[in-house]
Amino acid sequence: LRARGALVAVADRSVSGVEAEAHLPGDLLEAAYADGLPAAAKAALGGLDIVVNNAGVITRGKVNETSDADWDLSVGVNVQAPFRICRAAIPLLPPGSAIVNVVYCMTKAAIASLTQCMGMDHADKGIRINAVAPNEVNTPMLRTGFVKRGFDPDTAVAELGKSVPLGRIAEPEDIADVIVF
């Protein structure tokens, strides 16, 4: 987005080392933080035209082995925070603006459905609301999951790439290109 001239605000628990015009550190599990992000980004950047909900966590394991803490973390970051951010952003967005939700795991399926509903609800205001649904992406989250399950991440990524017609799994830049589009 920055390469295309957009001013970018980033939000995460740690934003150090991330190139952006505004850094808005915080915890998405805190309702007030998620509710306030769109207004904080608008104030920091002087406007708000695009919202990308890409933050997420994946806790690994079978349902019967999933702790309440893991479930609460997944639902809090992957469902509640994007809902809160979208709800707070929509009144601030001008016609011609966009929200893009990135959907890639079970809890994000709720966001896929929310995206469809919001797209219908707000099309008359000129706000495009879409989802990008990548499969496996070569990120630290994916690699950490392999390590947790006892796999060498380099070997696992290479093996996973063999199952993709392109011959490799996606890189973060691939997903960024789709979001920019």
Side-chain angles (χ1 to χ4, degrees), residues 68-91:
D68 287 346
D70 280 349
W71 177 251
D72 291 344
L73 174 64
S74 293
V75 171
V77 172
N78 296 347
V79 180
Q80 291 175 340
F83 166 78
R84 290 179 173 283
I85 291 166
C86 288
R87 182 177 63 184
I90 287 168

Side-chain angles (χ1 to χ4, degrees), residues 17-152:
V18 180
E19 292 184 27
E21 283 67 35
H23 296 84
L24 306 170
D27 186 346
L28 287 172
L29 293 175
E30 294 177 14
Y33 172 71
D35 288 338
L37 270 175
K42 182 177 181 177
L45 301 174
L48 187 64
D49 298 305
I50 303 167
V51 174
V52 178
N53 283 307
N54 187 47
V57 296
I58 297 178
T59 54
R60 310 269 182 200
K62 297 176 182 173
V63 169
N64 62 319
E65 298 168 355
T66 300
S67 70
D68 287 346
D70 280 349
W71 177 251
D72 291 344
L73 174 64
S74 293
V75 171
V77 172
N78 296 347
V79 180
Q80 291 175 340
F83 166 78
R84 290 179 173 283
I85 291 166
C86 288
R87 182 177 63 184
I90 287 168
L92 305 177
L93 292 169
S97 58
I99 296 174
V100 179
N101 294 315
V102 182
V103 180
Y104 49 83
C105 63
M106 184 275 302
T107 49
K108 292 284 191 169
I111 296 303
S113 184
L114 178 66
T115 300
Q116 289 176 320
C117 294
M118 289 188 309
M120 295 295 292
D121 290 345
H122 302 289
D124 63 332
K125 296 178 184 95
I127 301 172
R128 289 177 295 115
I129 303 174
N130 295 302
V132 173
N135 195 4
E136 304 292 353
V137 181
N138 190 10
T139 64
M141 182 167 57
L142 178 74
R143 290 174 163 275
T144 301
F146 285 134
V147 171
K148 282 176 97 173
R149 290 177 284 165
F151 299 112
D152 171 68

Side-chain angles (χ1 to χ4, degrees), residues 5-17:
L7 302 178
V8 173
V10 294
D12 201 344
R13 287 180 294 183
S14 172
V15 293
S16 63

